[in-house]
Structures are given as C-alpha cells and as structure tokens.
Amino acid sequence: MTSRHATGPHIPGIAAGRIDAATLHENFADLHAAYDPHEAAVAADRCYFCHDAPCITACPTAIDIPLFIRQIATGQPEAAAKTIFEQNILGGMCARVCPTETLCEEACVREAAEGKPVEIGRLQRHATDSLMARQGHPFARAAATGKRVAVVGAGPAGLSCAHRLAMHGHDVTIYEAKPRAGGLNEYGIAAYKATNDFAAREVEWLLGIGGITIENGKALGRDITLESLRADYDAVFLGHGLGGVNGLDAEGADRAGVEDAVDFIATLRQSDDLTSLPVGRHVVVIGGGMTAVDAAVQSKLLGAEEVTLAYRRGRDRMGASRFEQDLAASKGVRLLFNVAPRAVHGNGTVREIEFEYTHEVDGRLQGTGETVRLPADQVFRAIGQNLSEDAGLDRAGGKIAVTGPGRTSMQGVWAGGDCTPGEDLTVVAVAEGRDAAEDINDALVG
Amino acid sequence: MADLTTDFLGITSPNPFWLASAPPTDKEYNVRRAFEAGWGGVVWKTLGAEGPPVVNVNGPRYGVIHGADRRVLGINNIELITDRPLEVNLEEMARVKADYPDRALIASIMVPCEEAAWKAILPRVMETGADGIELNFGCPHGMAERGMGSAVGQVPEYIEMVTRWCKTYYDRPVIVKLTPNITDIRKPALAAKNGGADAVSLINTINSITSVNLDAMAPEPMIDGKGTHGGYCGPAVKPIAMNMVAEIARDPETRGLPISGIGGITTWRDAAEFMALGAGNVQVCTAAMTYGFKIVEEMKRGLSAWMDEKGYRSTHDFIGRAVPNVTDWQYLNLNYVTKAQIDQEACIKCGRCYAACEDTSHQAIAMSADRTFTVKDDECVACNLCVDVCPVENCITMQEMAAGAVDPRTGKVVQDQYANWTSHPNNPAAVQAAE
C-alpha cells in the first residue's frame, strides 16, 4: 500500500510523504557540519605532532595526518589537502564516511589522554573541501606510456586504481555496471554522509587528472568478459565489489515488504524527491553492520514511526561502530541485540516478524527457545553481501583471492576493494586500488 | 583573607596591581572605570610639555602575536604619549585623585631633555595631588626619534641628570621607567639610583616587528604600505622582564632599590613571580587591554588565596624571597645529579619526548615496538627537554640521584657536598677549595 498522499508516521503499511519536505531536508542535512577556518585552526592546534604517529599507522591509506593538520594550522588547507590526496585520492569521501572512531581517531593519543581525540576526519574534510572548492585537479599526468588498463567497477577501489594509473601515464577505461560512477559512495551509504551530490562531484573532480574513460552500463559477466579485457588491454583491475545479497533464512522470508537494505539505500540516494519515497510505519532492519545502521537511521529520518535494528549477537560483536550505534539511538532507532529472525508472518505481505532470543556458548550462537514478535510493514535484510562474479579466478573466503598488492591467480589481473578479502571499507578499497596500480605500473614499465 | 595592601615608596594602595602608563590610563573616564573595577593604582598616560600635543597615526597602532585560538600572546604598538592637551590631563588627574584618595595615582612624564622643560611641568603635576611621578625613559618609537623616551633611557648619564632635576623640583617619589632596549639593565638602573630616584619601573616595551604582511611585503601594523618598529608587550615579554628585574634586585650596586615590575603580567601568578624577584608592586597593561579591567578581580582573589595557602599575611612577606636563589651559572651545584623518569601510567605514547631527545638532544630515550618510552639513564644528562615538550603534566619528572649512588652516564659516585665551576678541575681559573 503505497500512497503519495499519505501523511504522518501513523499511516499503516509502506507509504510516502510521512513527513513534510522541510523536515526531510533538515533530517538529511550534513551529519557533521563543515568547520569554518577558525574552528579548523583551533581543532588543528590540538594535534601533538606525535613521533611515528599512531594515527598514520591506523589509517589504511597511511595519510601523513600530523603533517596535514600542521599545514591547516599554518593556514594552508589546500596544501594540507595535497598531502592527503597523495595517499588517498578519495580523501574527501573518506573524511565523510570513514569510521574514524575505530581508525585514526581511536589511535589518537588524545583519545587515550582525555577521551577526546583530535577531530581528524573533520579536519581532513576541511582541507579537502578547501582544495576541491577551487575545482582544480592537484596532480598532473606523467608522459604517456601507451599502455592501456581496464578497470572493472567505478567504486572507490576502481577509481583509486584508475587515478594512480592515469598519473603514471597509462590510459584507463573503467567499466561500470550502474548508470553512475562512484560505487557504494554513490549508491550505498547514508545520504547525510555525502550531501550535495558529493560522490558525483568527487568523481568528476578525480577525472580531472585525464586519461580515464568510464563506460557505464557494462557489467562483468553480462556485457564484458575477463577474457576479452585481457585480450584488449595490457592489464586488468577488478574492483566490482559484491553484487549479491545474503538471503534471510527464515520462514516466510519471501513475503512482500521484505527487501534488501542496499536497494533501499540506493533508491534513496538516487531519489530527487524524498517526499515521494515510501517507507514502512514499523520498520525492522536485520543486521549489525554499517548498511544496517544506514538503512535503519534513514527509515527513521523518512518518517517511519518505529524502527528496530535487530542483531543476532551482542552489542560488542556489531560491525557498526559505537559511534554509529549511538547515532542510530539518537535518531530514535531501537537497537535489539541477541535476536535471530525465525519467521516472517503476514497474509502475503509482512505484518510481523518473529525472533528467537540467542546467547553465545563458547563463541557459538544458540537459540534460547524464547521468541518475540515485532510488528513490521517493512523488513530490510542487511546481513551481508557476497561475491556474484569471480570471473573464474581463485577464491579465498568467498572472495577473489589475492596476494601482495592485489595480484589474483591470473597473470595480468589484479583485484581490490570489497570483492577481495579484508575489511569492506571505502578507505581500505582506496588503499588496495592505489597499491594495485603501483604494482601494475611496475609490471608495465618496470 | 590575606591583606593585599601595599606600601610602595610610602604610597599605599589597596592592592599591588597598578595599571601601567598606557592607553588604558589616558583619561579620566578610563581611570574612573579602572578604580571602580578595583585596581590599586594607575600610572597616568605619559604627559608631554605644554603646547600643541603630539599627534598619532590615523591607521592601525597595534600589531599582535596570536596563539591558536586567537589568544593574545603579545602586542606591539606605535602609539605615542598622550595626544590630549596637558591642561586637560592635569585637571582630570586632580579630580580623580580627589575622588579616590586611597588609590595610587602616578603621573608619567616625558618632556625634552632640558632642565627648563622639567622645571616647568613638575610644579603643575604637583598641584594635581598625584602621589608621585614616573619618568618615561622607555618609549621606543616616535618620541625616541625626537630625543626623548628610550633615547634618554639608553644613556645612563642622561637618566642620572634628568632624575636629579626631578628630585630638585619635585618632592614626592620619583620612579624611573627603564627601557629594555639596552645590553645591561643594571647600568640605567644604577644611573637612576645615582640621580636620586626612589624606584625604577621596568620593563617598558621592546623594539619589535610582530609580523610581516607577505602580500604587501611590509611590517604590521601597516600604515599606507609602510610600517615601523613598535614596542612589544604582553605575556611573551614576561621572561625578559623578570630577568631584568632580578638583575637589578640582586646586583650589589642596585640591590634594595625599589622596583615596580612590568612585563606581561596577566594573572596573580605572574604578579607573585615578579614580586618574589623583588618587585614591590606590579603594573599591568596588555592583560587589561585584552580582557578589560575586570581581569584585576582574578589577580586579587588569586594572590590572596595563594598568600593564605602559604601563610603570607602581607605582600612584604614574600617580596624578594626568590632573589637570593637567583645566582650566576658558575655557582650552580655541579654535584646535583638528576635523571628523567617517565610515568608509564600517565604516558599517552605521543613520542614527543623521543623525537626531541633522539633528534635534538642526547639519544637518552628508548622507544619499543609497542610505543613504550623509557629513559636510558646511562645517556640522560637531565636536560629537561623531554619534561618541557611532554603534553602531560608530571608525566616526565626529574628525579634526584642520592649521594653515594653511581651515575650510570659518568660512572662517578654522586657526591653529597656542593661543588661548582669555580673549583672544578676543568676550569683553568679554578681556585683550590679550602681544605
């Protein structure tokens, strides 16, 4: 039951327009407002310029954080940005979406000292925004090598790889399945983390290096094959992410109203008019990672009356950081732990979802036998994604096996990002794409 | 509550906090506000000779050094002495003094270096009822080019001569304000003493360029594309001022000469430090210009609380108490051996101590793979740099080695008795210690 004219959070079923446009606009505004220059100067002054700084070690892309913060402190945010971009060309997005509370800011000695780290993420955003506001691209390409590289996937890994390759003078073609580039930055994260079309603007800015062509609507295994890419290019990098979504192992999981959280988030991100976007009155999100939090929080912000995030294990096992958990709680999402979905009830359409309480015995999850039913008009699955296309490469742990800087089991084929083992984070994907590019460059011209 | 009443040269004030001769004391309106706010005294903005007053620039007069949160660390200025008619200032001073008889009111004066000029102005100042005068021999800009201010303060003979004139034509206390823009502060202080000065006050401002505008390629404050040196003041100058105060307080020839301490005093603690080094009272300007007159309330409460804590009942109980402990390097005890010690519980593992020691000192701090920092006693010379750069207070401390212990750096047994450079065997001029 979807109605464009429904109003209010109490309308049953899945309905659009639960809250007015102005409130929606406010709800989906920037999660962390940008610093003004003075705020940035004060925040930057808190950095101790540590020796062999723990924050650098904690950053998957190893940005020289104390150096860029000092550059902000001395009044050169654009020079600071260049320090960031040298290591991480998607430093702008990472400043917005990185779980800094479990990376650089957790490692900050001021976190140990006073529980209040230097706000590295916000400072990084200040620097990168300053440079990007000029719309100038800070790097130049090396002399053309005449080498051509195919990159599959225009997400963080592919873009990072392509940019570094382009810098080295190679020509890059990126094949992207979706209509827009950016990958999860464009389709897969909460809107309030990348406002004002930042993901698209960042891609455009990144392409300013030159030498990169993106072909949209080209999916590996559907429109292109690894064989043809290997035949046509000097090297191939796969960064196509995880195309599949794990199913819900519960009775009645096929009822209407049970959806993938990633689809919901993607639809929301591509929507021009949030008042037309339907959401349930009672929403239950199943999962414990960032996608689950992003889906739950955005459901609430869209006007769902009641949103529950249900996770089968305890809070400490949740993939989403404590900051994300607190964010969800502050927006009114109820966090329910130690509950595993057992059945989806309803007459064709979901009405209720039934959970069984769980506990861990020697690290193994067991049901207690006790169950609870929650009203639900809409259920989002956010229990992980899986590799849908391995192009015949060796696998490891359900992903494309790699050694060193992204070398796959096939000569001339590299891979990185979510389709390879390791943490599924934007910043990790950027590091993997960059390092693979360096290795490809060595292989092509070394 | 400790009694903050201070007697300086027979001039009593309810507390030792005076406002220095400067923009905050340029007119009746400001001085009344200062007294209402609780200041113990003021030194009125410097008076010039009768006649057309000086003129100031019509662009920026102040430059600044900021800390991170725009905290004012230092200011410099190119303002001159009062630019209001002498008569107006004198009338206002008389009115204010009459209304605030318990507060100190001192007239600062700067007239040409001619006896007639001083002879002319002093009786008129006398009529105001001011408690004393302060001779401005310190102003480093503008007036110095005209043979006044620091141009006088840099020539001890002139200081002595003008001071003597003042003692001749004026019968209340004469304070001589000294410029720090000299090489040895004891010389002008001694000249003032020889001229009969009742006290010296110091420091006046320091010649300075606070910043250069890199677009205009000119110093700030900039007047139509040009700048000039100004007088530097505020918290940044305090260490320089305290050394000069201590030099005068401990020199045999100037010891006992009353001192009014000036230079970056911002808190009660700054004041207590100046007074411990021999200043009978203090004068404040930049702190008031930064925060307003209310700042004196913290100074009063703070000094009083500290005195209570220490059992001092009047300011005389602690004035000059640190002077005997200011000595020459050659008299420092070379048998005093300390080692840095890092409190591992307090350490936040920033590694600044390591970087400082490894790169710029004695390679006496070890760093482990898990970022544990420990002092290598066999390399530590106890320089204190690690203590200074550590962001955590009391995380790194200097621990004295007991007599009888072996210093692992030198292999020598720590001696109990005091021994200094004058008798050290490496000193070619060493005198044999008496047996």
Side-chain angles (χ1 to χ4, degrees), chain A residues 89 99 112 154 294 401:
Chain A
I89 196 64
D294 284 356

Side-chain angles (χ1 to χ4, degrees), chain B residues 181-195:
Chain B
N181 300 307
I182 42 80
T183 48
D184 185 347
I185 196 67
R186 294 172 300 181
K187 298 291 187 287
L190 182 60
K193 186 183 176 189
N194 291 341

Side-chain angles (χ1 to χ4, degrees), chain B residues 115-234:
Chain B
E115 187 168 359
W118 291 90
K119 188 177 178 181
I121 196 170
L122 290 170
R124 304 191 60 185
V125 170
M126 193 72 180
E127 288 167 14
T128 65
D131 297 295
I133 58 173
E134 184 180 81
L135 313 187
N136 183 343
F137 292 160
C139 189
H141 47 265
M143 304 311 288
E145 298 163 14
R146 305 171 203 179
M148 293 180 271
S150 63
V152 177
Q154 286 167 340
V155 184
E157 292 78 8
Y158 290 173
I159 294 175
E160 183 175 339
M161 176 176 74
V162 177
T163 306
R164 190 162 286 128
W165 293 337
C166 291
K167 289 303 290 181
T168 305
Y169 300 115
Y170 184 74
D171 61 8
R172 289 191 175 182
V174 174
I175 304 166
V176 174
K177 187 166 182 176
L178 303 179
T179 176
N181 300 307
I182 42 80
T183 48
D184 185 347
I185 196 67
R186 294 172 300 181
K187 298 291 187 287
L190 182 60
K193 186 183 176 189
N194 291 341
D198 297 279
V200 289
S201 57
L202 70 159
I203 57 171
N204 205 311
T205 55
I206 303 173
N207 287 343
S208 59
I209 290 174
T210 47
S211 58
V212 175
N213 184 316
L214 291 175
D215 296 317
M217 281 295 170
E220 301 273 15
M222 188 167 59
I223 303 293
D224 192 25
K226 304 279 186 199
T228 187
H229 74 271
Y232 198 39
C233 57

Side-chain angles (χ1 to χ4, degrees), chain A residues 1-196:
Chain A
M1 168 175 152
T2 302
S3 164
R4 294 212 49 171
H5 305 291
T7 52
H10 304 301
I11 302 298
I14 300 174
R18 289 186 180 275
I19 45 182
D20 62 272
T23 309
L24 276 175
H25 183 75
E26 211 172 280
N27 282 357
F28 284 88
D30 221 338
L31 182 59
H32 301 291
Y35 279 139
D36 71 25
H38 180 71
E39 285 178 304
V42 174
D45 186 62
R46 294 187 68 239
C47 175
Y48 286 147
F49 205 75
C50 294
H51 173 75
D52 187 16
C55 54
I56 303 177
T57 310
C59 175
T61 55
I63 292 169
D64 191 338
I65 294 164
L67 177 60
F68 95 67
I69 291 179
R70 194 156 182 81
Q71 290 175 292
I72 292 173
T74 58
Q76 295 193 315
E78 293 178 15
K82 191 153 184 209
T83 299
I84 294 162
F85 291 136
E86 282 168 2
Q87 287 296 105
N88 180 339
I89 196 64
L90 296 181
M93 183 59 83
C94 288
R96 289 163 165 80
V97 304
C98 257
T100 52
E101 61 280 1
T102 61
L103 297 171
C104 53
E105 292 180 17
E106 182 180 55
C108 177
V109 299
R110 297 200 80 149
E111 170 65 25
E114 62 210 82
K116 196 172 179 296
V118 174
E119 293 189 306
I120 298 167
R122 292 183 75 187
L123 284 163
Q124 179 164 321
R125 174 165 170 191
H126 174 75
T128 51
D129 280 1
S130 299
L131 188 148
M132 290 170 75
R134 294 193 311 162
Q135 292 298 316
H137 191 87
F139 301 107
R141 295 185 73 192
T145 62
K147 302 287 185 185
R148 298 166 67 247
V149 182
V151 168
V152 178
L159 288 169
S160 167
C161 182
H163 183 270
R164 185 57 63 103
L165 288 167
M167 268 180 78
H168 284 306
H170 311 300
D171 288 322
V172 183
T173 303
I174 304 180
Y175 294 95
E176 167 57 47
K178 291 215 159 59
R180 301 180 79 181
L184 291 178
N185 291 352
E186 176 61 45
Y187 292 96
I189 55 164
Y192 46 78
K193 290 179 183 171
T195 55
N196 297 322

Side-chain angles (χ1 to χ4, degrees), chain B residues 337-341 354 356-358 360-366 374-386 398 401 406-411:
Chain B
V337 181
T338 68
K339 298 287 176 190
Q341 195 171 78
Y354 175 82
C357 193
E358 193 70 10
T360 72
S361 291
H362 298 83
Q363 297 77 48
I365 293 179
T374 44
V375 176
K376 295 186 260 183
D377 284 351
D378 57 340
E379 299 290 349
C380 178
V381 303
C383 73
N384 214 45
L385 183 62
C386 57
M398 280 295 159
M401 290 193 72
V406 175
D407 179 349
R409 182 176 70 87
T410 59

